[in-house]
Amino acid sequence: MDLKLFGEVFVTLLVIVDPPGMMPIFLALTGPLSARERNRAAWQAVALALGVIVIFAVAGQTLLAYLHVDLPALQAAGGLLLILVALELLTGKTDDPTKQATANIALVPLGTPLLAGPGAIVATMLFVQRADGAADFSAIAAAIVAVMLTVWIVLRFSGGIVKVLRPGGIEVLTRIAGLLLAAIAVQLIADAIAAFVAQYNGAG
């Protein structure tokens, strides 16, 4: 296994996924849930993210080409999805845990597009394109698994913070997370528009 490539993939994906930055959003979405449900949401989100990244690593180019979808379109779609979640956080619509099932929170937006977002997908696809031989592919696979394991550990043990914050603190954290999420969403959409403009200017 190529350890240099492993390190490169691991650091790149870890920076993109940003587990410490993910923690306030995870706590805001799962704050009203019980510890058991929060833990379940953590592993479901990580499992889905791992599955999505692996699928795109193996068949991403083929899948997007078949659907006639460009990467910027995927990026813009992720941004729009995050804006909807951000608005719910900012307006307090997620405060009632009965309105949103644990599985739904884990899958969208945690699993995708937050963990397995356009950035992580594109980075993985680029690494796979550069890979040459079984040693490179095994290094990439090991790095993806290591990143997801790191994310799971961070989310799994974030429950202690909930006990410290209490309901009032969680509510403040929810609003802040909504603002951060909205900023991430706007950045995703802006990057997608810039990519589309550059693409069509180049084509013209």
Side-chain angles (χ1 to χ4, degrees):
M1 189 170 77
D2 187 342
L3 289 177
K4 183 173 179 289
L5 180 62
F6 171 86
E8 195 180 339
V9 177
F10 179 81
V11 171
T12 302
L13 288 180
L14 200 65
V15 169
I16 292 170
V17 174
D18 185 20
M22 193 64 57
M23 198 187 293
I25 296 165
F26 175 75
L27 291 176
L29 289 168
T30 61
L33 302 176
S34 67
R36 187 178 172 185
E37 287 175 322
R38 194 181 306 114
N39 292 341
R40 196 188 327 155
W43 77 255
Q44 284 177 337
V46 169
L48 175 72
L50 180 62
V52 170
I53 288 174
V54 168
I55 288 168
F56 274 95
V58 173
Q61 293 285 11
T62 308
L63 187 64
L64 292 178
Y66 176 76
L67 295 172
H68 304 291
V69 172
D70 291 327
L71 281 172
L74 192 68
Q75 202 166 352
L80 289 172
L81 191 59
L82 288 185
I83 278 181
L84 293 175
V85 179
L87 288 173
E88 284 194 351
L89 289 174
L90 287 167
T91 55
K93 287 186 180 174
T94 58
D95 290 348
D96 182 2
T98 59
K99 289 183 182 178
Q100 205 167 13
T102 312
N104 291 344
I105 294 171
L107 303 180
V108 179
L110 287 174
T112 183
L114 282 174
L115 293 178
I121 288 169
V122 172
T124 306
M125 286 169 63
L126 290 174
F127 279 122
V128 169
Q129 281 176 2
R130 278 174 39 196
D132 182 26
D136 284 0
F137 287 118
S138 61
I140 293 168
I144 293 168
V145 172
V147 167
M148 288 300 140
L149 190 61
T150 305
V151 172
W152 178 79
I153 290 168
V154 170
L155 298 184
R156 171 68 178 77
F157 293 102
S158 63
I161 298 170
V162 174
K163 293 175 185 173
V164 175
L165 289 175
R166 301 184 184 277
I170 289 290
E171 192 173 333
V172 171
L173 189 67
T174 300
R175 303 299 180 260
I176 294 169
L179 193 61
L180 291 173
L181 211 52
I184 293 168
V186 170
Q187 188 63 56
L188 277 175
I189 294 168
D191 289 347
I193 291 168
F196 271 127
V197 170
Q199 187 177 317
Y200 288 112
N201 280 347

